[in-house]
Amino acid sequence: MMKLLDITEKYGNTTHKYPFEPYKVAANFRGKPAYVFDLCIGCAACGIACPSNAITVQFNKDQTKLVWEFDCGRCIFCGRCDEVCPTGAIRLSEEFELAVKFDKSALIQRGELDTQYCTECHKPFAAKRLIKYGYECLSKANLGEKRLEESKNYLSICPTCKKNATVSNFTSGKEMVIE
Amino acid sequence: MKCDKFIEALATKIKILEVTRQCEDQVTALVELNDLPEAVRFLYYDMGGYLSTMIANDERSINKHYALYYALSMEGGKMFEGDEIAQDEKCFVTVKVLISPDNLTYPSVTPFVPACVWYEREAYDMFGLVAEGLPDKRRLVLSDDWPDDLFPLRKDAMDYRYRPDMKEHYNEPEYEFLRPEGTGIIDVPLGPLHVTADEPGHFRLFCDGDTIVDADYRLFYQHRGMEKLAENRMNYDQMGYLAERVCGICGYAHAIACIEAAEKAINLEIPARAQAIRIICSEIERLHSHLLNIGLACEVTGNYTAFMHIFRIREYSMKLAELVTGGRKTYGNVVMGGLRRDMTGIEIKESLRILQIIDTQVDEVWDAVMEDKRQIKRWQGVGVLDKQVARDFSAVGPNIRGSGIKRDTRYDHPYDFFKQIEFDVAVVEGGDVFAREMVRYMELKSSVSIIRQCFELMPQTAIIVDPKFHVKPEDFALAYVEAPRGENVHWIMQGSAQKVFRWRCRAATYNNWPSLRFQFRGNTIADAALIVCSLDPCYSCTERVTVVDIKSKKSKILTNKDLKEFSRTLKNSPMKDLR
């Protein structure tokens, strides 16, 4: 019994003064995902990769905005969102503290992106930024001005209208063009 | 080849209808329904098998039948020296039977092999398959208010999002505890929520004076339905993350067992470096689990100083996990085909430094605890698990090794990198709490050595193979990992569209619970919490409490909803009805 007290003497104080003193974490620590709205293009890759459904991407009620929402209470800190994000809009930080406020909504982060409407059916189908990002990627690919302009028009058509166009071209005997 | 010897021996006793091989060390024999008890008994007692898991499966869409798979790990009885089969003959033999949907009964194996009792009770809960001759036919995993005719794991029973209407309170049957006969015996309930238990579980101790004559228990207070969830919507990438959530301590072991079951079924071999890091992580997990349990065993007996010291050392194991995986728990690292994260030279160097600290400081504290005679007296001779009982119930982990049986999956069925690593299996005779804690201490030392060997031997290869794999529907395989609490066994049958058809996840403690009542017998009430603690149990969480009024001796069960309602409003006290 006395020997245990000797060990106490030997090692002294081992606790941290957390939260008054920051807790040092290892490099590559998987903490809370940090979201940078300006970089987000609303591609929803993070939402698909998230195994616990902490990230959701969906249109709001009147479909004017594409809402990106992250619930930290559901997050399992796996870092799949970090891996798949093409623009680096979501990165794992060194923060880990969840118990900061009594308000549950403090755990939720939201980002609202402008909606792109389909030029054919005028229905919303993606975020404007995603279409812009797609166009920027294509413009780097040296397609030539004419094809680039065609692609730009093509990008702003929703997948359903693209499908319908392909089917109607096919049934009317026109040659099928796949961009 | 491996397993052939056992199949030949089994064929001399009973008629085998079909033999299929899953991988090098796993074979399945289809037998007739009436031969089932004899087949399992013969392999278990005559050929030296241990029951690893039993899987019930709804295969009506495949062969118009339900199926049962009794998976036995062939190791030798190990009751005395020499009663062990040669290392290169150890394998898994599965006995399979088909049950017609017109007659959902099968002969129970439990009267011959007691280890099957929980599995057969669960087969009724989940599929409605009735074991004829089963001595204990009570419900096991589903709650008492679950509808009688709904068997959730049947493919046509329910969607995983469906929440059935529970039975009304007054229709809910009273759970019958198995009470011993005799006069002067009183019931002492421990739980479902109790200060000495970390998690909910209802133990009913039958006492004569201060001595426990017998005990019975009700667990699975919140069955999470993970198997159902996995079958319905998970792909293999997500399955790893789900399997990690089975347990807060052995999560990593579950993840690798689950992913390896899928990998084995398609013969996918992962790179050696990934194998080594998987072992490093699972040994880190063993370090912090064993430190937790030794600490709690001190705490339950009132030795808070030792408890605090051990938890101080446990912090280093979390630091280690942080270095290796990026989280304080070894989560989120395993994917099909390998790993997500490699280790750098700096991290390895730092890890070795931390390992050295753990190694020396554990010895310091353990020596001090061993010198404390009062502490040792509380552990010695308490909660004895008899060697024969351990054999009969196929106990696993430190529980069986503390009873003098050399049973360790890392040694019996070396998986991954373990073929290249040298370590001694910690075996202690005695079967009491002291023996189990001693096993844990010895394993702490061997874990440190295993991690060091892994760092030394791991090659500079990739950590993931190109995942160009296609799962074949209806193929199945077992995977086994020695978690801190014992052997975890996962069984996966592949479905179409890269999803699982049936996932059976058997955690280590599932095999340890049925023999617990034998450990209680003859001890005092004061030791009950310590005995449960030394088992290192894995509970889940609760959804209800029992309120007992000691004056009127009436009791009432409050559901989650009732309890929340009362806690929120503080109106309509449930105690009113009891007075």
Side-chain angles (χ1 to χ4, degrees):
Chain A
M1 189 70 191
M2 293 312 286
K3 221 173 165 181
L4 278 171
L5 295 177
D6 287 348
I7 298 171
T8 314
E9 191 92 331
K10 187 174 168 186
Y11 292 106
N13 229 346
T14 54
T15 48
H16 297 269
K17 285 193 173 169
Y18 184 81
F20 304 107
E21 188 181 279
Y23 182 77
K24 274 185 196 162
V25 294
N28 297 328
F29 178 72
R30 293 203 320 259
K32 265 159 81 168
Y35 175 59
V36 184
F37 175 72
D38 292 344
L39 294 177
C40 182
I41 52 171
C43 65
C46 49
I48 294 163
C50 182
S52 62
N53 293 353
I55 299 175
T56 50
V57 184
Q58 53 201 7
F59 288 110
N60 63 357
K61 239 181 192 175
D62 54 4
Q63 304 205 321
T64 50
K65 297 277 182 191
L66 186 73
V67 182
W68 180 96
E69 199 170 272
F70 167 60
D71 184 351
C72 208
R74 283 190 73 106
C75 181
I76 59 170
F77 306 100
C78 66
R80 287 288 300 271
C81 48
D82 180 330
E83 269 176 13
V84 296
C85 183
T87 57
I90 189 157
R91 284 276 173 266
L92 294 192
S93 67
E94 292 196 343
E95 272 183 43
F96 54 85
E97 185 57 85
L98 295 178
V100 280
K101 282 181 184 171
F102 292 105
D103 187 6
K104 240 185 185 177
S105 62
L107 293 171
I108 293 172
Q109 279 187 60
R110 280 165 73 97
E112 294 187 346
L113 298 113
D114 288 334
T115 318
Q116 173 74 42
Y117 293 92
C118 173
T119 45
E120 297 289 317
C121 65
H122 308 291
K123 282 182 186 161
F125 72 99
K128 263 186 184 162
R129 282 190 195 175
L130 179 65
I131 306 302
K132 201 179 154 207
Y133 180 79
Y135 181 71
E136 278 167 13
C137 289
L138 285 173
S139 57
K140 283 175 195 161
N142 292 331
L143 290 177
E145 249 178 51
K146 196 187 161 201
R147 283 203 67 193
L148 191 63
E149 196 54 35
E150 277 171 14
S151 309
K152 192 180 178 183
N153 296 334
Y154 198 69
L155 276 174
S156 47
I157 304 172
C158 74
T160 321
C161 290
K162 275 179 205 161
K163 261 184 228 161
N164 291 342
T166 316
V167 172
S168 61
N169 285 350
F170 184 69
T171 46
S172 63
K174 280 184 192 169
E175 201 184 329
M176 243 166 66
V177 184
I178 298 167
E179 294 285 333
Chain B
M1 273 181 96
K2 272 185 180 180
C3 317
D4 290 349
K5 181 184 140 189
F6 301 104
I7 297 295
E8 278 167 25
L10 186 63
T12 60
K13 289 272 172 186
I14 53 157
K15 193 182 160 198
I16 298 176
L17 303 175
E18 190 192 348
V19 178
T20 49
R21 187 175 279 277
Q22 284 74 53
C23 57
E24 197 205 341
D25 64 343
Q26 290 175 28
V27 77
T28 301
L30 178 68
V31 302
E32 272 175 21
L33 206 54
N34 290 333
D35 292 335
L36 172 71
E38 176 54 19
V40 179
R41 191 210 59 79
F42 174 72
L43 287 171
Y44 195 95
Y45 284 112
D46 296 356
M47 300 303 289
Y50 281 86
L51 188 73
S52 274
T53 182
M54 188 272 253
I55 306 108
N57 197 7
D58 180 1
E59 294 181 3
R60 283 176 295 169
S61 57
I62 302 169
N63 53 26
K64 296 182 181 157
H65 284 81
Y66 289 94
L68 292 179
Y69 300 79
Y70 288 74
L72 293 122
S73 163
M74 308 308 294
E75 306 167 7
K78 299 180 175 178
M79 292 298 284
F80 50 88
E81 217 173 304
D83 182 16
E84 186 180 335
I85 60 175
Q87 203 66 9
D88 58 345
E89 284 180 356
K90 287 177 180 171
C91 60
F92 285 89
V93 177
T94 306
V95 179
K96 176 183 176 183
V97 285
L98 294 174
I99 299 170
S100 160
D102 305 327
N103 180 13
L104 294 171
T105 55
Y106 62 99
S108 171
V109 188
T110 311
F112 308 94
V113 181
C116 299
V117 59
W118 271 34
Y119 296 99
E120 292 186 348
R121 284 170 71 183
E122 188 177 340
Y124 174 74
D125 278 15
M126 292 302 185
F127 294 93
L129 303 175
V130 183
E132 275 185 347
L134 179 67
D136 185 357
K137 287 192 172 168
R138 294 171 301 163
R139 258 197 182 156
L140 182 74
V141 293
L142 296 177
S143 57
D144 300 326
D145 53 1
W146 186 267
D148 282 330
D149 49 354
L150 184 64
F151 301 106
L153 275 186
R154 284 187 187 175
K155 295 286 175 198
D156 55 357
M158 57 181 262
D159 187 39
Y160 72 99
R161 286 162 296 196
Y162 175 64
R163 300 286 179 272
D165 292 332
M166 295 300 175
K167 277 184 191 170
E168 291 295 329
H169 258 343
Y170 43 85
N171 285 335
E172 200 178 305
E174 189 101 330
Y175 190 77
E176 287 172 33
F177 286 96
L178 298 177
R179 204 172 188 284
E181 286 175 12
T183 50
I185 293 173
I186 53 157
D187 295 20
V188 178
L190 184 73
L193 296 168
H194 192 270
V195 280
T196 56
D198 334 329
E199 284 171 72
H202 188 142
F203 300 90
R204 192 60 73 90
L205 309 174
F206 304 107
C207 300
D208 184 1
D210 210 13
T211 313
I212 304 170
V213 181
D214 202 350
D216 194 16
Y217 27 88
R218 173 97 172 103
L219 297 151
F220 296 93
Y221 271 86
Q222 198 179 42
H223 188 268
R224 288 170 288 176
M226 282 188 170
E227 288 168 351
K228 183 83 187 169
L229 177 68
E231 279 170 28
N232 279 281
R233 65 172 284 254
M234 294 276 168
N235 60 26
Y236 287 106
D237 268 353
Q238 294 167 328
M239 283 275 292
Y241 296 103
L242 182 72
E244 276 175 349
R245 265 85 203 156
V246 171
C247 175
I249 299 287
C250 324
Y252 197 81
H254 277 292
I256 43 180
C258 171
I259 296 295
E260 278 182 13
E263 285 168 355
K264 272 209 172 102
I266 54 167
N267 282 323
L268 183 79
E269 172 127 11
I270 62 163
R273 193 177 175 84
Q275 290 181 15
I277 297 178
R278 277 187 186 184
I279 286 179
I280 291 169
C281 291
S282 57
E283 292 304 315
I284 291 173
E285 205 168 66
R286 193 181 317 281
L287 283 178
H288 79 68
S289 171
H290 283 355
L291 283 167
L292 170 90
N293 189 259
I294 297 174
L296 288 179
C298 293
E299 188 228 8
V300 172
T301 52
N303 192 348
Y304 279 83
T305 323
F307 164 68
M308 287 294 179
H309 276 301
I310 292 166
F311 265 53
R312 174 174 56 78
I313 302 167
R314 189 169 178 261
E315 180 65 27
Y316 289 112
S317 67
M318 303 224 194
K319 275 270 174 212
L320 210 52
E322 203 179 300
L323 273 172
V324 180
T325 64
R328 275 164 65 81
K329 180 76 188 69
T330 44
Y331 277 168
N333 208 8
V334 189
V335 281
M336 190 122 160
L339 287 177
R340 289 175 63 204
R341 190 178 185 279
D342 201 358
M343 288 189 78
T344 61
I346 302 166
E347 282 166 350
I348 294 174
K349 210 176 157 191
E350 178 65 11
S351 303
L352 287 169
R353 190 185 70 82
I354 296 176
L355 274 179
Q356 185 57 41
I357 295 174
I358 295 176
D359 204 12
T360 48
Q361 296 199 3
V362 162
D363 276 346
E364 273 176 3
V365 177
W366 184 255
D367 287 347
V369 172
M370 284 297 107
E371 273 185 21
D372 190 349
K373 283 187 186 139
R374 282 165 299 181
Q375 179 67 70
I376 303 297
K377 284 278 170 202
R378 283 298 308 272
W379 285 355
Q380 266 172 349
V382 172
V384 177
L385 177 65
D386 185 68
K387 201 171 185 176
Q388 185 60 46
V389 175
R391 168 81 183 105
D392 288 344
F393 284 92
S394 284
V396 289
N399 230 32
I400 199 165
R401 290 195 284 277
S403 296
I405 296 181
K406 193 179 179 182
R407 210 185 154 210
D408 190 321
T409 310
R410 296 173 293 172
Y411 157 77
D412 289 318
H413 307 284
Y415 51 90
D416 287 354
F417 213 58
F418 273 117
K419 289 165 200 142
Q420 301 181 37
I421 284 177
E422 286 175 15
F423 77 103
D424 292 326
V425 180
V427 183
V428 178
E429 297 285 340
D432 52 3
V433 175
F434 180 74
R436 289 193 277 278
E437 297 309 327
M438 197 66 194
V439 168
R440 292 202 172 96
Y441 166 69
M442 287 157 77
E443 284 188 4
L444 279 179
K445 303 295 285 179
S446 75
S447 278
V448 171
S449 144
I450 289 169
I451 299 176
R452 280 190 184 135
Q453 287 181 52
C454 281
F455 280 138
E456 216 167 277
L457 297 173
M458 73 181 185
Q460 287 286 352
T461 60
I463 52 158
I464 191 160
V465 284
D466 189 13
K468 276 181 189 161
F469 49 79
H470 292 286
V471 295
K472 277 185 254 160
E474 294 161 39
D475 272 7
F476 57 90
L478 269 179
Y480 36 87
V481 167
E482 184 74 19
R485 273 94 180 247
E487 176 196 43
N488 282 345
V489 181
H490 285 237
W491 187 91
I492 285 183
M493 181 181 260
Q494 321 273 12
S496 54
Q498 307 272 330
K499 285 186 180 169
V500 290
F501 184 77
R502 169 90 165 100
W503 173 43
R504 172 75 165 112
C505 153
R506 200 275 284 157
T509 324
Y510 194 90
N511 267 26
N512 284 335
W513 279 123
S515 55
L516 179 67
R517 64 186 304 193
F518 297 91
Q519 298 179 44
F520 274 131
R521 289 177 186 171
N523 291 284
T524 57
I525 302 174
D527 290 328
L530 178 63
I531 295 167
V532 178
C533 166
S534 75
L535 175 82
D536 201 0
C538 197
Y539 309 76
S540 188
C541 294
T542 188
E543 59 179 3
R544 59 171 89 196
V545 290
T546 311
V547 183
V548 183
D549 186 2
I550 48 169
K551 280 181 190 161
S552 62
K553 291 187 179 159
K554 281 182 189 167
S555 67
K556 189 186 177 186
I557 296 170
L558 300 187
T559 60
N560 185 1
K561 203 175 147 193
D562 298 339
L563 190 66
K564 270 186 187 163
E565 186 64 33
F566 177 62
S567 309
R568 206 165 26 230
T569 60
L570 294 178
K571 281 176 189 164
N572 304 326
S573 163
M575 300 301 287
K576 268 185 198 166
D577 307 342
L578 299 178
R579 290 191 181 129

